[in-house]
Amino acid sequence: QATQTRNFIPVLGASGSGKSSVVLAGLVPELLKLGNWKFTHFRPGSAPFYAMAEALVPLYRRDSDDTDEIVQTNKLAKHFHNGDISLSNVISKIQRNYPNHKVLLIADQFEELYAHCQNNEEQHSFLEQVLQVINNNAQFYFVLTLRADFLVYALSYRPFADALQDADVKLGPMNREELKVAIEEPAKSRGVNLQDGLSERIIKDVEGKTGNLPLLQFALKQLWEKRDGMELTHQAYEEIGGVENALAKYADNVYQGLDKE
């Protein structure tokens, strides 16, 4: 719905609240069904211009092979950094390549711009380039995911703070019904069922606990690998250690398998 009314959509939420999943496994498939979208995504990391260039080059240079893409990424990142070529220039070229498509650029884990890139001048230059194309190109869409505890950093740069006003989508914790769907439906789509009471047991272990979705994801993967035929069982859930202990138990098993050296 947000993409129907605006082209800048920050998704805010706590760590582990499912921001990346909502965008990459929720929003993107829905837009692809429409058939007139081109999208790419990146994580800023310590070199945001390089990360963004790496994501854009395959759309910018459609005839590139893998080696050429690496060369072009380095060149484009330097041009971004020096201001010789702007993000607006690149997006315009991509739109000429795909004249009947809307272009969606996703910046996942946007807090990396502040956590890993320590150069304020580079941060501001990066944000300026993004804001320029957002403000001047209605067919370009920019979606970012940001941990809520990093919002204070995003607000510290006034032009970006102004853009964030009334623009964000705030992601709260999943309710019981949403958790039930997330736990049961992927298994059901493969013809696999959960033993009676197992989904409720898992929900009880994660409900109301901030940041537990990655642990839930890991536990469900472990549970899937221990399925009994076409069924996920209480016994297997106990063997993996449940949601709270599945990762630690797996790590211990890996550690115990190492030799002394």
Side-chain angles (χ1 to χ4, degrees), residues 16-185:
S17 61
K19 301 179 296 298
S20 300
S21 296
V22 163
V23 173
L24 297 174
L27 173 65
V28 168
E30 287 298 311
L31 294 181
L32 288 179
K33 289 177 185 177
L34 301 177
N36 64 331
W37 287 81
K38 287 290 179 182
F39 82 96
T40 186
H41 65 95
F42 70 100
R43 289 169 51 176
S46 59
F49 283 124
Y50 183 89
M52 185 166 66
E54 188 175 34
L56 292 169
V57 162
L59 297 179
Y60 179 63
R61 293 284 302 271
R62 291 186 295 179
D63 56 347
S64 303
D65 59 26
D66 290 345
T67 302
D68 190 39
E69 282 188 9
I70 295 172
V71 173
Q72 293 300 323
T73 295
N74 278 302
K75 289 175 63 176
L76 183 56
K78 289 177 182 177
H79 286 308
F80 277 156
H81 194 275
N82 296 333
D84 304 325
I85 296 177
S86 70
L87 178 59
S88 290
N89 299 143
V90 173
I91 296 301
S92 294
K93 175 64 167 63
I94 292 172
Q95 288 173 328
R96 288 194 295 274
N97 288 343
Y98 304 97
N100 299 317
H101 291 75
K102 298 175 181 177
V103 178
L104 168 63
L105 179 60
I106 298 166
D108 192 24
Q109 300 190 32
F110 200 71
E111 62 272 6
E112 290 184 356
L113 181 66
Y114 308 102
H116 299 327
C117 177
Q118 304 300 319
N119 187 322
N120 285 344
E121 185 177 338
E122 185 172 2
Q123 289 174 4
H124 295 168
S125 176
F126 178 84
L127 292 171
E128 282 294 339
Q129 293 216 27
V130 170
L131 290 172
Q132 181 186 27
V133 67
I134 288 171
N135 293 330
N136 295 290
N137 191 330
Q139 293 299 102
F140 169 74
Y141 293 75
F142 189 71
V143 173
L144 64 85
T145 66
L146 177 69
R147 274 173 44 187
D149 52 317
F150 275 81
L151 181 58
V152 63
Y153 297 97
L155 295 174
S156 66
Y157 184 53
R158 179 58 188 268
F160 196 55
D162 289 344
L164 286 169
Q165 299 295 333
D166 303 320
D168 59 46
V169 175
K170 298 178 182 69
L171 196 64
M174 295 172 73
N175 60 35
R176 289 184 66 84
E177 185 56 37
E178 290 166 342
L179 286 169
K180 184 179 176 67
V181 169
I183 291 166
E184 294 181 357
E185 292 304 319

Side-chain angles (χ1 to χ4, degrees), residues 1-7 141:
Q1 291 174 340
T3 60
Q4 305 306 308
T5 59
R6 58 186 187 270
N7 67 340
Y141 293 75

